[in-house]
Amino acid sequence: MRLSKSAIRNNSMRASFAAATALTALVVFGTGGAAAESVLTMHIEEQSSWVQNFNPFDLAGRRQSTMDFIYEPLVIFNAEDGGKPVFRLATDYKFSEDMKSVTYTLRPGVKWSDGQPLTSADVKYTIDLMLKNAALDTVGVGETVASVEAPSPTEVRIDLKAVNSDFPETLADLAVVPEHIWKDVSDPVAFKNEKPVGSGPMTELRRFTPHVYEQCRNPNYWDAASLHVDCLRLPQISGNDQMLAILPEGNMDWIGSFIPQIDKTFVALDPDHNGYWQPPAETVAFQMNFKSGNEGNLEAYKDLNFRHAFSLAMDRASMVDIAGFGYPVVNEHATGLPPRFETWRNKGAEGDKDAFMGFDTEKANKILDDAGYKKGADGFRTTPSGKPLAFPIIVPNGWTDWIDAVQIAVEGLRAAGINASVATPEYEQWRKQIIDGSFEVVMNSRADGATPFRGYYQSLSTAYGGRITGAPSRYSNPKLDALFDQYLKATSEYDHKKIFNDIQLLIADDFPVVPVFNGPTWYQFSSKRFTGWVTDKDPVMNPEDHDNNRMRLMHLLRLKPVQ
Amino acid sequence: MRISSRRLGVYAVALAFAIVMNFILPRLMPGSPVDAMIAQLGPRATPAAVEAIKARFGAVDQPMLWQFVDYVKGLATLDLGVSVKYYPQTVVQVLGRSTLWTAFLVSTAIIFSLCVGVVLGAISAWRRGGRFDTIVSPLSVIMISVPPVIVALTTLFVFAVSLRWFPVGYAYDPNLDPAFNFTFAGSVFMHAILPVLTLSPFLIGEFQTTMRSSMISVLGEDYVTMARAKGLSHLTVMFGYGARNAMLPVLTNLALMLGAVFGGSIVTEIVFNYPGLGLTLYTASIARDYPVIQGQLLLMTLATLGANFLVDIIYGLVDPRLREAV
């Protein structure tokens, strides 16, 4: 449905959300006069009913269009561009000499959607709110931040608990909220924020029903000149199957869905306009529990020979083609570096170090034979010290593509005489097991970030071991921890790259986890109503519209309605 | 009219049992709502944040006995708690909006199927052994035995996805706002057709079968023979004398079938993304949303018990011999 009403820009007119709704008034910038409204229909989350909740601190309950579109980040880091910063509410940030504090300079003249100025006091207020109330701490400032000061209206100084050059990247997930609204909220955890006042491009809720909602232009958006979409329209969609059923209607513009046989079921519906690009995302790897209570298994996990043999038993190509519908890509590097971080790759950590990344059952058997893993009467091996070796690999129930991949892994392991099996607990149970350490082996995606550092740090440092789902292996290596520490203290890009080269070398040699493939990004689009989509020919940013990708804001600003 | 105290006792025990089961069942499922909430935090779940969330939904970490006391207290005050999945909406709010749609869907399906099934049953009993009967009666048996999920997927695929005659989801066109006008009513009607047709085959089959056997015995009664002897028209005898008196077992059957109808509506609502109780129960189960699951199971239990209670009253009204007995 397109409306072709227009209205003159008039601040007093958007005195309230109710008035805006009643008038369905559009605020047309720039050219003035009558212009067709451009409404972008998006699919970013699946729910059986929309609940009007735009509380940015409620990660579980908030609508997934809250970040970026209602609350703009200070700065975004573009993984597809070497992790370079894209400054938004801030124009710069600087570390102090001792790296113990970082000062952000805010963009002058930025206003909230209700017309009030956005100042450093708002940023200070937001971080203090999270420090005071741990349930609101969506970015983990409680662990990293000692205190916040606002020396001037455009300056925020954040004092850190420890040296941490990675801190700005973490803070990209911060939603700065307006102090003049939130100071009156009695219970910020339960606050639904039904009529949000924000800083992003799409703050005005014109329509909200359990079936669909529309988020329209912020009348005071600082970067209005770059914004060509008037409204986001979000129809409620309950799951992948329903998505398949509604695709033929041709009403969706920006989609982030798993679509099986995508060329047949989506592109063929409208070959001139429908497209997709599903670049490889974070690395999926087999992670063994280095604190396992099972003596035999633990002995094997800690043996580099065993980990090499494990890797040689992995039929990665089948995992990608058969289990993953061909959407993921095989990860060929012992470092497990995701393809998107090509510029960070240390060639010295590859070549012969990748010798164990192929599929070679014969070689796997030989390595195990030579290392003293003897086969018993049942055809399964025991450890060199004669202890039994048997473990289940856990994967969440219902994740069919992953279950199939683990099944393929188990076949390979059994062919090498390793008694592995598949177990499919419910997701919550699966998560609990990897957090409390009551598992043996898990196939899991590792942590990810705008630079490869965060993924490695959070998956393999002693600091994170066992604390988050991305780090179940409980791997602990003082040499690696020292490198991580150096990285956090380093300031220049040159130093970061140099240290990360060493990290890659160490990982390739010690091979703590077994990388197998990189899962796809979920991104499909229609160019029928909008142009400017990011494609493989112009791979400048992560194209996903989900809440895990801050760059979706920059993507929105690229889009232009078809004339 | 009176219902024996023993009978009332049975209802009380059934209700108490339902309340206890309702408390226990969700807790037997692996995973807790707190785990689910923390899972959403992902790598950002600092130990402090985890503690804060646990404290907020602390009831789950309490000893079972205290949880049960809280639960019963809540029931007594009609406070069914707050939904985890749709936080901070309350369970009453969540169930309120879905109950309306399920009630609409189920009652429409029942009324439609009742009309069709009763007429088919009456005609096949009237022409027992005839061509109509030999086609319709076996067909009813087939319709009863086909699982609703198959009917739902088939109708969705054929009439919505392929032919595009009907919408593939929602209870009404999302572009409309609920209002008392023809556009909105028409939209609700169009969106209800396929879900109703999905629920109907089973019901029609059941009603046809029950009606047919009940009608056959009624047709053997003296007053029917008398009516025919008077020279009344076939239609008058069939519906005025036969069907009217054969209806009672059909109505009884209806009350007992309510559970099955709700079961069918769960599948139907999931397939057609229809915003009723079924879809809510499904998403609540996946999210380990205990408060919603409990509220909903309780609602369904009460509906079934209520329907049976109603049947008891009807029985008593119709047949005086049953009033004191049982």
Tab-separated table of all heavy atoms in Angstrom, chain B residues 5 13 20 22 32 72 75 97 140 176 200 217 229 242 249 253 255 261 263 265 269 294 301:
chain	number	residue	atom	x	y	z
B	5	SER	N	-23.852	-34.379	44.814
B	5	SER	CA	-22.633	-33.853	45.425
B	5	SER	C	-21.439	-34.715	45.020
B	5	SER	O	-20.322	-34.244	44.920
B	5	SER	CB	-22.779	-33.813	46.942
B	5	SER	OG	-23.186	-35.084	47.389
B	13	VAL	N	-12.060	-32.679	42.208
B	13	VAL	CA	-10.816	-33.448	42.151
B	13	VAL	C	-10.134	-33.249	40.799
B	13	VAL	O	-8.923	-33.026	40.720
B	13	VAL	CB	-11.104	-34.950	42.401
B	13	VAL	CG1	-9.861	-35.781	42.105
B	13	VAL	CG2	-11.570	-35.163	43.830
B	20	VAL	N	-2.499	-28.966	39.693
B	20	VAL	CA	-1.187	-29.490	40.090
B	20	VAL	C	-0.363	-29.893	38.865
B	20	VAL	O	0.813	-29.542	38.731
B	20	VAL	CB	-1.358	-30.693	41.054
B	20	VAL	CG1	-0.014	-31.361	41.319
B	20	VAL	CG2	-1.986	-30.229	42.358
B	22	ASN	N	-0.614	-28.808	35.940
B	22	ASN	CA	-0.319	-27.566	35.259
B	22	ASN	C	0.944	-26.919	35.818
B	22	ASN	O	1.710	-26.271	35.130
B	22	ASN	CB	-1.516	-26.648	35.517
B	22	ASN	CG	-1.653	-25.617	34.473
B	22	ASN	OD1	-0.865	-25.580	33.553
B	22	ASN	ND2	-2.641	-24.780	34.601
B	32	SER	N	15.051	-23.373	31.465
B	32	SER	CA	14.149	-22.542	32.245
B	32	SER	C	14.018	-21.202	31.536
B	32	SER	O	14.825	-20.860	30.695
B	32	SER	CB	14.720	-22.333	33.648
B	32	SER	OG	15.721	-21.349	33.618
B	72	VAL	N	-0.462	-20.836	43.410
B	72	VAL	CA	-1.856	-20.943	43.851
B	72	VAL	C	-2.390	-19.579	44.275
B	72	VAL	O	-3.520	-19.214	43.940
B	72	VAL	CB	-1.983	-21.972	45.005
B	72	VAL	CG1	-3.404	-21.988	45.556
B	72	VAL	CG2	-1.594	-23.358	44.514
B	75	LEU	N	-3.341	-17.736	41.218
B	75	LEU	CA	-4.590	-18.237	40.638
B	75	LEU	C	-5.792	-17.637	41.357
B	75	LEU	O	-6.760	-17.207	40.742
B	75	LEU	CB	-4.658	-19.761	40.753
B	75	LEU	CG	-3.808	-20.590	39.805
B	75	LEU	CD1	-4.126	-22.059	39.987
B	75	LEU	CD2	-4.052	-20.180	38.363
B	97	ARG	N	-5.857	-11.605	24.026
B	97	ARG	CA	-5.961	-11.328	22.593
B	97	ARG	C	-6.054	-12.601	21.762
B	97	ARG	O	-6.685	-12.629	20.718
B	97	ARG	CB	-4.846	-10.411	22.122
B	97	ARG	CG	-3.448	-10.921	22.292
B	97	ARG	CD	-2.442	-9.909	21.731
B	97	ARG	NE	-1.177	-9.931	22.417
B	97	ARG	CZ	-0.219	-10.824	22.190
B	97	ARG	NH1	-0.412	-11.774	21.312
B	97	ARG	NH2	0.907	-10.785	22.860
B	140	SER	N	-16.908	-40.116	5.596
B	140	SER	CA	-16.837	-39.551	6.949
B	140	SER	C	-15.744	-40.221	7.762
B	140	SER	O	-14.997	-39.553	8.489
B	140	SER	CB	-18.166	-39.740	7.671
B	140	SER	OG	-19.140	-38.960	7.061
B	176	LEU	N	-5.225	-3.174	7.609
B	176	LEU	CA	-6.470	-2.641	8.172
B	176	LEU	C	-6.355	-2.545	9.686
B	176	LEU	O	-5.592	-3.259	10.314
B	176	LEU	CB	-7.637	-3.578	7.831
B	176	LEU	CG	-7.934	-3.776	6.361
B	176	LEU	CD1	-9.010	-4.849	6.208
B	176	LEU	CD2	-8.393	-2.474	5.738
B	200	SER	N	-12.753	-28.376	9.736
B	200	SER	CA	-14.078	-28.962	9.504
B	200	SER	C	-14.138	-30.444	9.162
B	200	SER	O	-15.048	-31.122	9.646
B	200	SER	CB	-14.812	-28.160	8.429
B	200	SER	OG	-15.029	-26.862	8.915
B	217	SER	N	-31.815	-45.167	14.879
B	217	SER	CA	-32.621	-45.712	15.974
B	217	SER	C	-33.906	-44.918	16.162
B	217	SER	O	-34.952	-45.478	16.477
B	217	SER	CB	-31.802	-45.762	17.260
B	217	SER	OG	-31.393	-44.483	17.607
B	229	ALA	N	-47.489	-42.554	8.604
B	229	ALA	CA	-48.832	-43.073	8.343
B	229	ALA	C	-49.816	-41.936	8.114
B	229	ALA	O	-50.765	-42.051	7.341
B	229	ALA	CB	-49.281	-43.952	9.494
B	242	GLY	N	-37.667	-36.929	12.866
B	242	GLY	CA	-36.442	-37.729	13.018
B	242	GLY	C	-35.276	-36.939	13.563
B	242	GLY	O	-34.855	-37.111	14.715
B	249	PRO	N	-27.675	-36.853	21.062
B	249	PRO	CA	-26.349	-37.505	21.137
B	249	PRO	C	-25.291	-36.703	20.377
B	249	PRO	O	-24.115	-36.698	20.759
B	249	PRO	CB	-26.582	-38.860	20.481
B	249	PRO	CG	-28.049	-39.088	20.539
B	249	PRO	CD	-28.687	-37.735	20.475
B	253	ASN	N	-21.856	-35.402	21.987
B	253	ASN	CA	-20.603	-35.715	21.322
B	253	ASN	C	-19.776	-34.444	21.123
B	253	ASN	O	-18.572	-34.424	21.330
B	253	ASN	CB	-20.914	-36.367	19.970
B	253	ASN	CG	-19.712	-37.101	19.428
B	253	ASN	OD1	-18.804	-37.419	20.185
B	253	ASN	ND2	-19.703	-37.350	18.140
B	255	ALA	N	-19.664	-31.713	22.931
B	255	ALA	CA	-18.998	-31.278	24.159
B	255	ALA	C	-17.749	-32.113	24.414
B	255	ALA	O	-16.705	-31.590	24.821
B	255	ALA	CB	-19.950	-31.392	25.331
B	261	VAL	N	-11.005	-30.541	19.117
B	261	VAL	CA	-11.100	-29.360	18.257
B	261	VAL	C	-9.985	-28.381	18.603
B	261	VAL	O	-9.313	-27.840	17.729
B	261	VAL	CB	-12.470	-28.673	18.414
B	261	VAL	CG1	-12.558	-27.476	17.487
B	261	VAL	CG2	-13.586	-29.650	18.108
B	263	GLY	N	-7.152	-29.137	19.911
B	263	GLY	CA	-5.918	-29.750	19.421
B	263	GLY	C	-5.707	-29.444	17.954
B	263	GLY	O	-4.629	-29.048	17.539
B	265	SER	N	-6.945	-27.012	16.357
B	265	SER	CA	-6.754	-25.586	16.110
B	265	SER	C	-5.313	-25.159	16.383
B	265	SER	O	-4.828	-24.201	15.807
B	265	SER	CB	-7.735	-24.754	16.935
B	265	SER	OG	-7.251	-24.565	18.230
B	269	GLU	N	-3.566	-23.114	13.507
B	269	GLU	CA	-3.094	-21.755	13.742
B	269	GLU	C	-1.610	-21.606	13.443
B	269	GLU	O	-1.170	-20.566	12.943
B	269	GLU	CB	-3.377	-21.348	15.196
B	269	GLU	CG	-4.844	-21.079	15.436
B	269	GLU	CD	-5.153	-20.885	16.909
B	269	GLU	OE1	-4.200	-20.748	17.699
B	269	GLU	OE2	-6.343	-20.869	17.252
B	294	GLN	N	1.244	-22.242	31.551
B	294	GLN	CA	0.360	-22.604	32.659
B	294	GLN	C	-1.019	-21.983	32.490
B	294	GLN	O	-2.035	-22.655	32.611
B	294	GLN	CB	0.966	-22.132	33.980
B	294	GLN	CG	2.078	-23.006	34.462
B	294	GLN	CD	2.720	-22.454	35.706
B	294	GLN	OE1	2.548	-21.280	36.031
B	294	GLN	NE2	3.462	-23.280	36.397
B	301	THR	N	-8.179	-26.545	30.313
B	301	THR	CA	-8.764	-27.486	31.262
B	301	THR	C	-10.135	-27.002	31.710
B	301	THR	O	-11.102	-27.764	31.735
B	301	THR	CB	-7.853	-27.626	32.501
B	301	THR	OG1	-6.519	-27.807	32.049
B	301	THR	CG2	-8.272	-28.794	33.348
